[in-house]
Amino acid sequence: MSKTEIAAYLVTLAYIGAFLALSLKQARASGQPIWIFTRGSRSQRLPALLFKLGFAGSVLWPPVRALLAGEAPFGLFSGVPGLTLMMIGAALALSAQRHMGRSWRIGAAEGQSGAIVDSGLFAVSRNPVFVGQGLLFVGLFLARPGLIELALALAVLAAIALQVRIEESVLRRDLGAPYLAYQSRVNRWVGRPC
């Protein structure tokens, strides 16, 4: 692997480690389980599987690829734009996750929603954690272009698209009018509704 690919791999490992550590800290602070994919509807099975494949693949595939093929080609990119996008995405996702505090959950289940967080990054995006994760995986593909990396990025992007719709449905039922008002003020991805 080249230096940029190694850096991209290290950014991925650092993000996943920080994500898990912060999740554990938030679970302890809230006194509630935060991994609620299994408590929610069956429709969360596919996004949960896609997230697991995307994140596990991003950790397991690079060493396998390096062993099988030696130095991997970059294609058109020097790797730096992708690495930069990865770092921005990881920082955005972790910052938003931290800002959620006791409302942090992984998955959605009725009756398990935290309070609405509508300040900080959540004032300009209803899903800044997912926006950050999407940027991380698009950057990963740009830093290490290949079919597997493309498949991993597409798996995570599909998981994000599916999970956001599930979570919004649960939040509308759990939080009612305050969440509907929040939806009308802030776009799903970035910006304010027109």
Side-chain angles (χ1 to χ4, degrees), residues 5 57 61-62 65 69 71-77 79 137-155:
E5 289 175 317
W61 173 243
R65 179 172 129 171
E71 288 280 318
F74 279 126
L76 296 174
F77 298 95
F137 274 84
V138 169
L140 180 63
F141 169 69
L142 294 177
R144 296 188 326 234
L147 289 177
I148 299 294
E149 288 79 2
L150 177 61
L152 295 173
L154 291 175

Side-chain angles (χ1 to χ4, degrees), residues 29-184:
S30 70
Q32 298 180 45
I34 58 162
W35 183 266
I36 56 175
F37 266 122
T38 55
R39 296 179 182 201
S41 68
R42 299 177 115 194
S43 61
Q44 287 187 92
R45 288 181 181 171
L46 178 58
L49 175 64
L50 291 172
F51 277 122
K52 288 176 187 175
L53 288 173
F55 281 94
S58 71
V59 170
L60 300 174
W61 173 243
V64 170
R65 179 172 129 171
L67 287 172
L68 295 176
E71 288 280 318
F74 279 126
L76 296 174
F77 298 95
S78 68
V80 174
L83 188 57
T84 302
L85 197 57
M86 287 181 73
M87 290 188 286
I88 291 169
L92 178 69
L94 290 171
S95 177
Q97 179 184 347
R98 185 170 186 272
H99 190 74
M100 283 190 75
R102 293 176 181 229
S103 290
W104 174 249
R105 305 287 186 276
I106 301 171
E110 288 189 43
Q112 301 286 316
S113 300
I116 295 173
V117 178
D118 59 0
S119 60
L121 293 170
F122 291 89
V124 293
S125 171
R126 292 197 315 263
N127 298 286
V129 173
F130 287 143
V131 170
Q133 290 176 342
L135 292 174
L136 175 75
F137 274 84
V138 169
L140 180 63
F141 169 69
L142 294 177
R144 296 188 326 234
L147 289 177
I148 299 294
E149 288 79 2
L150 177 61
L152 295 173
L154 291 175
V156 169
L157 293 174
I160 288 169
L162 293 168
Q163 188 61 29
V164 162
R165 287 173 180 20
I166 293 165
E167 288 184 10
E168 286 180 348
S169 177
V170 170
L171 291 170
R172 279 192 299 271
R173 287 191 299 273
D174 272 6
L175 304 175
Y179 185 74
L180 292 172
Y182 176 56
Q183 274 189 307
S184 70

